[in-house]
Amino acid sequence: MTRPTLLAVSHGTDDPDGARSIAALVARVAERLPDVDVRAAFVDVQQPDAASALAAIDGPVVIVPLLLSQGFHVHHDLHGIAVHRADAVVTDALGPDALLAEVLAMRLAGIARPESPLVLAVAGSRDERSVADAEGMAALLGARTGRRVDLAYLAARHPDLPTALSAAPDAVVATYLLGRGFFFDLAVRKAGAHPITPPLLDDLQSDQGIPDALVDLVIQRYETAPPA
């Protein structure tokens, strides 16, 4: 029996490094699932858009949001297109998850300040459901590292990154963004002199630019998807 298509939907970016890293993640997932048709789509900026990509697929589809938390894109965009397909299902967003804490800890290992507190820099969303996800991720990172973790938002919510850093002047900024792009550039500017980690996906890194844990997480979302 043919397995459902995996439609991996990310936000989209006009940053070539960020776009390449996302494409590399999807390619790695496809390598690990040779019996599954794995396709990529986007909710903004890049093509194909999620609705067009879904319409081009015949048969069952599992839509995996390559998004770190619940929010408008998951609940409006993706559930909004899946509701018209009886054979399509949308999985949970990627976060919060212990595998993401593992990747964040790996990125932090490249910064030689192991005793410093952390500020987790989150993109931010007006959707209230995203708040619990951000808080949950901060708790997982704290448990994983044994360090104090404060939250900061790059848009939509408070505290913003400069405010959080003013309360923790010796902090390291842990970037909770999937790839390079607008929000990572903003985080770098707002971090000032504070050390800041690369995004979760970053094939500019010489080692583990596309972490195995992230590939595992996408596959886990697909394999545990509820039936359509």
Side-chain angles (χ1 to χ4, degrees):
M1 182 176 178
T2 302
R3 300 183 73 188
T5 296
L6 191 167
L7 182 61
V9 183
S10 58
H11 182 276
T13 178
D14 56 10
D15 183 291
D17 297 322
R20 190 180 59 247
S21 290
I22 295 290
L25 172 63
V26 176
R28 287 278 306 279
V29 170
E31 289 172 3
R32 290 268 303 274
L33 296 173
D35 58 337
V36 175
D37 182 10
V38 178
R39 305 191 190 187
F42 309 90
V43 293
D44 200 2
V45 184
Q46 292 176 253
Q47 293 294 323
D49 64 84
S52 298
L54 180 61
I57 298 170
D58 293 324
V61 184
V62 174
I63 302 171
V64 179
L66 302 186
L67 302 165
L68 296 178
S69 64
Q70 302 179 78
F72 181 85
H73 291 310
V74 173
H75 292 283
H76 181 272
D77 292 338
L78 300 186
H79 282 279
I81 62 173
V83 73
H84 302 294
R85 284 277 296 264
D87 58 354
V89 62
V90 181
T91 74
D92 290 339
L94 297 182
D97 195 279
L99 288 171
L100 293 175
E102 179 182 328
V103 178
L104 286 165
M106 181 184 73
R107 293 281 179 251
L108 286 162
I111 295 178
R113 287 173 57 171
E115 305 304 320
S116 295
L118 305 174
V119 172
L120 186 66
V122 179
S125 169
R126 291 183 178 84
D127 191 307
E128 290 293 335
R129 288 167 288 204
S130 69
V131 175
D133 287 350
E135 292 173 346
M137 197 63 239
L140 286 169
L141 181 59
R144 179 69 172 73
T145 62
R147 297 159 77 170
R148 168 185 153 193
V149 180
D150 297 330
L151 268 174
Y153 296 94
L154 298 169
R157 296 193 173 276
H158 297 287
D160 62 14
L161 186 54
T163 300
L165 290 172
S166 69
D170 59 338
V172 171
V173 179
T175 302
Y176 189 50
L177 301 168
L178 200 57
R180 291 179 179 268
F182 172 81
F183 280 113
F184 180 67
D185 293 343
L186 179 63
V188 170
R189 293 198 301 271
K190 298 288 188 182
H194 291 263
I196 183 169
T197 65
L200 300 173
L201 286 173
D202 189 7
D203 69 357
L204 297 180
Q205 301 299 304
S206 59
D207 181 47
Q208 280 290 292
I210 312 299
D212 291 338
L214 265 172
V215 180
D216 292 343
L217 181 55
V218 175
I219 292 172
Q220 182 184 99
R221 290 289 184 268
Y222 172 80
E223 298 283 9
T224 60

